[in-house]
Amino acid sequence: MPSSRLERVEESATIKIANAANKLKSEGIDIISFSLGEPDFDTPEHICKAAADAMYRGETHYAPSNGIPELRNAIADKLVNENKLDFTADDVLVTPGAKQAIFEIIMSVLDDNDEAILPDPSWVSYSPCIKFAGANPVWAPTDPENGFMPYGIEELITDKTKLIIVNSPCNPTGGVYDKEMLKTVSDLAIDHDLLVISDEIYEKIIYDKKHISMGSLDGMHERTITVNGFSKAYAMTGWRLGYVAAIPELMKGFKKIHSHSVSSATTFAQFGGVAALEGPQEPVNNMITEFKARRDILIDGLNRIGFKCKKPDGAFYAFADVSEFGNGDEVADKLLQEAHVAVTPGSGFGASSKDFIRISYATSQERIREALQRIEDTLL
């Protein structure tokens, strides 16, 4: 029989929609997929070459559990120079994807019946990870008119609260926390002696604002756990390469879980990570320019149809209010079955988001225009 632990955790909404879309594709139906959070660009050639060269020179054995020294050094340099975070290579743990890093962190810092505060909506896997640890997610409301910034966090803090999760730029909303918002969270964390996970996986995919790392704020170095990776910025989703940086007292627990579960990230993939950080950044900049053009086409089209959707400042998602046409689950199902456009219902990201859908614009401008036409023909 399955463990009772599994009963606490719901199925991933994004994976569920992707599976439904793939089933229709297997039947020969042309599906335009806006469901998965995956750049549609190829990994830059110099990164692939570095990994291939590593493989062919024999870097196919176990890596050090924490990560190869070359990559941990490159990550530490990046964190110091780009993010103003005071870390060394010893403060970095390389993981098979940022999702694994988040799982290890939450399992390490939360006990049974602890509470962790996260914005509503949030990425679909935060809440299940919290529940796996035996703790309870507490949802902070957000304001769609103000970039989905959370509010009222202080009223949610109890003697059981141990953790606040920040994801900027945000999946699913594309919201970007400015310094004032980060300062609000940091003040609460300091006043109530809380930890903060700062998930910065989308930090480079940002359009009209500047990314600020939570750990760079005064008083936050020791209580911020910074998570990042290579999947989004470098189109390396299939490489499964992420990392976490934190002070040694916290890192000790992450490493324990890491060593007894995944052992290490793939060895030759880590050499690709070194090339990503130390090589040319033009592919990243070109990808962001294209994402911004796609964003503008999509948001203009959605608002023309009658969805309510402001332009996101980061990531590659639109989080649209579709209440004029039904709730998010109804609209997502109708679009998949009739328009053959796959989107993710907002209910998968938080209880207050049932009137929303998430649209990932990680597809070509041509397909975005075609999808908009299909949506318009179906709903209007």
Side-chain angles (χ1 to χ4, degrees), residues 196-350:
V196 176
I197 293 178
S198 183
D199 182 353
E200 304 184 9
I201 190 69
Y202 294 96
E203 65 160 341
K204 291 187 180 294
I205 305 175
I206 195 165
Y207 311 113
D208 305 311
K209 291 188 177 180
K210 180 183 178 182
H211 175 73
I212 302 170
S213 291
M214 172 65 79
S216 68
L217 273 61
D218 291 343
M220 289 304 293
H221 175 72
E222 293 189 348
R223 64 181 66 252
T224 301
I225 305 162
T226 301
V227 175
N228 210 325
F230 298 83
S231 293
K232 314 302 183 181
Y234 298 100
M236 294 172 65
T237 52
W239 294 62
R240 308 315 302 135
L241 199 60
Y243 58 88
V244 54
I247 61 171
E249 292 85 345
L250 292 169
M251 188 64 74
K252 193 180 303 182
F254 313 158
K255 290 178 179 178
K256 184 181 292 186
I257 294 173
H258 187 81
S259 65
H260 285 299
S261 55
V262 295
S263 294
S264 68
T266 301
T267 305
F268 51 85
Q270 294 187 54
F271 286 94
V274 176
L277 292 178
E278 296 183 347
Q281 300 300 302
E282 286 84 359
V284 180
N285 298 330
N286 293 339
M287 183 174 67
I288 295 166
T289 298
E290 175 61 19
F291 273 140
K292 186 174 182 179
R294 295 175 181 181
R295 177 200 67 170
D296 293 347
I297 293 168
L298 177 65
I299 303 303
D300 289 346
L302 293 176
N303 284 300
R304 185 181 67 248
I305 290 168
F307 295 170
K308 301 170 190 172
C309 189
K310 293 182 177 293
K311 285 185 179 178
D313 292 310
F316 41 78
Y317 307 107
F319 205 60
D321 182 341
V322 298
S323 55
E324 291 292 320
F325 303 92
N327 65 43
D329 290 87
E330 293 167 345
V331 171
D333 185 64
K334 187 178 183 68
L335 292 182
L336 180 60
Q337 299 300 329
E338 299 182 24
H340 299 150
V341 174
V343 301
T344 308
S347 59
F349 301 94

Side-chain angles (χ1 to χ4, degrees), residues 25-140:
K25 285 181 182 178
S26 70
E27 297 169 2
I29 298 173
D30 177 31
I31 302 294
I32 299 177
S33 181
F34 287 150
S35 58
L36 285 180
E38 177 174 34
D40 57 315
F41 301 88
D42 291 332
T43 303
E45 185 177 351
H46 68 281
I47 298 173
C48 295
K49 184 177 186 304
D53 288 348
M55 186 189 304
Y56 285 117
R57 70 170 176 264
E59 304 287 0
T60 56
H61 303 279
Y62 288 131
S65 184
N66 299 348
I68 61 172
E70 296 91 333
L71 181 55
R72 287 188 291 114
N73 280 313
I75 291 169
D77 288 345
K78 182 258 185 222
L79 292 173
V80 169
N81 296 321
E82 292 186 13
N83 303 94
K84 312 306 177 190
L85 300 175
D86 185 19
F87 287 121
T88 69
D90 290 337
D91 303 316
V92 172
L93 172 64
V94 178
T95 58
K99 180 182 283 190
Q100 178 66 22
I102 290 166
F103 183 80
E104 292 176 7
I105 293 163
I106 289 175
M107 293 299 291
S108 175
V109 304
L110 292 181
D111 284 316
D112 287 347
N113 298 316
D114 280 344
E115 293 177 350
I117 296 173
L118 62 164
D120 185 357
S122 280
W123 176 54
V124 294
S125 292
Y126 294 138
S127 177
C129 286
I130 293 165
K131 292 176 181 178
F132 262 124
N136 299 306
V138 176
W139 298 90

